[in-house]
Amino acid sequence: MYIATLIAADRLNAGDISAASDCLAVAGCDPGETVWLEAEKAADLAFAEDPAAARAALEGVIAGTDAIVQPAAHREKKLLVADMDSTMITVECIDELADYAGIKPQIAEVTERAMRGELDFAEALDARVALLENLEESAIDRCLAERVKHSRGAETLVKTMRARGALTILVSGGFTRFAEPVGAALGFERVIANRLEIAEARLTGTVAKPIVDSGTKQRTLLEARAERVLPVEATLAVGDGANDLSMIREAGLGVAYRAKPVVAAAAGARIDHADLTALLYAQGIARADWVD
């Protein structure tokens, strides 16, 4: 048995559910019962056959609505591994930090190419951080206070999963000076990120090695899964950039969140419209059971 979860950014109605069920029937998926997770917001459609056909049939069929297709078994996850920049928060911290140095356009262009998978992540990070040499350390705290905003639904997602016994890990190719306060505020149990090197209250233009990259993210998921003795199906990874692809592919439910095209094309699930609470609906957790 499989479940297709429909999550609306705005409103979902009975006609939308009927249209989705018809699409599943036409695709040969043998649709069954519908269960509302929140009235006019999210619903589960059970079906019996061909999840790949179901996903193809449902994606984009209802405007402003995401569709996540997965097996009914192990829907509720016991491990969350999440990216930070442009996933759990709304910005790329290095780009915003560069703005305080007056070089945001140069760095943002490299960030975008790295997130699309066009550049080696570690080399691109070293090159961008080198451009920040001599920036005052105080710019980090200013950037954190003035620019870094949590993505909608991030705190509810993390705190609800943790309250239900899941291990929650924030693993970022960004920097500890941002990731540690963000992780604490959102409720993550563990935080892994890169460390900017600082001397005499100024950035040295270097990052401590080894760099947290795609391989680190994948290893973090695998090691945490082994630590908790979890089946792959009980794991969830979410991110937006090319350096998230390895962990997304490794997870039972790998989610591309408002992601770059290369990530959206490869991930098993996509969130393009709703906020991060969509990942609670995807686990079958009804709105009444969230921790706000």
Side-chain angles (χ1 to χ4, degrees):
M1 181 62 68
Y2 301 94
I3 299 289
T5 307
L6 301 180
I7 308 117
D10 185 17
R11 184 173 180 270
L12 195 64
N13 60 44
D16 295 327
I17 299 299
S18 178
S21 184
D22 289 345
C23 286
L24 289 175
V26 169
C29 300
D30 191 14
E33 180 184 16
T34 297
V35 175
W36 284 96
L37 298 167
E38 182 180 357
E40 299 186 338
K41 187 69 177 180
D44 280 343
L45 282 71
F47 65 98
E49 303 287 343
D50 203 343
R55 182 182 179 189
L58 292 174
E59 282 191 344
V61 73
I62 302 170
T65 298
D66 297 305
I68 295 181
V69 173
Q70 61 186 314
H74 296 290
R75 277 185 77 192
E76 184 166 349
K77 309 307 181 187
K78 295 303 177 184
L79 172 63
L80 168 66
V81 181
D83 172 52
M84 182 177 72
D85 294 57
S86 298
T87 302
M88 290 290 138
I89 61 174
T90 61
V91 296
E92 294 286 336
C93 290
I94 193 168
D95 295 354
E96 300 308 313
L97 193 58
D99 206 18
Y100 291 87
I103 55 172
K104 183 175 180 178
Q106 299 96 299
I107 283 186
E109 190 271 336
V110 178
T111 300
E112 179 67 16
R113 290 184 63 199
M115 291 304 98
R116 293 199 303 259
E118 297 172 4
L119 302 172
D120 176 81
F121 179 82
E123 291 178 2
L125 184 65
D126 277 337
R128 285 174 290 164
V129 172
L131 295 175
L132 298 176
E133 184 178 2
N134 289 322
L135 180 66
E136 293 182 355
E137 180 183 7
S138 61
I140 297 173
D141 292 331
R142 286 182 59 201
C143 185
L144 183 63
E146 297 170 359
R147 305 289 182 90
V148 176
K149 307 297 181 187
H150 300 163
S151 296
R152 285 186 58 193
E155 184 174 358
T156 300
L157 169 66
V158 176
K159 291 185 174 178
T160 299
M161 289 189 67
R162 190 166 178 182
R164 296 171 72 92
L167 173 59
T168 56
I169 306 175
L170 183 67
V171 57
S172 173
F175 309 117
T176 55
R177 290 286 293 269
F178 296 101
E180 288 175 353
V182 166
L186 294 179
F188 280 94
E189 188 170 341
R190 301 177 189 172
V191 175
I192 300 167
N194 290 301
R195 183 171 62 83
L196 284 169
E197 295 186 318
I198 296 168
E200 299 180 356
R202 291 183 180 274
L203 275 65
T204 64
T206 55
V207 181
K209 301 299 190 290
I211 283 176
V212 175
D213 60 7
S214 175
T216 311
K217 294 186 176 194
Q218 182 183 34
R219 285 193 301 275
T220 297
L221 188 147
L222 292 173
E223 289 169 2
R225 191 180 89 195
E227 174 190 329
R228 292 293 176 100
V229 196
L230 297 172
V232 64
E233 296 85 1
T235 63
L236 166 61
V238 58
D240 74 296
N243 66 322
D244 300 313
L245 265 176
S246 293
M247 73 172 183
I248 285 173
R249 287 173 171 148
E250 202 70 58
L253 180 60
V255 180
Y257 179 72
R258 303 185 182 186
K260 302 297 183 288
V262 65
V263 184
R270 292 169 52 181
I271 298 296
D272 295 325
H273 307 290
D275 64 36
L276 285 165
T277 59
L279 301 183
L280 294 174
Y281 292 128
Q283 295 177 70
I285 304 172
R287 177 65 183 86
D289 297 322
W290 296 358
V291 176
D292 292 315

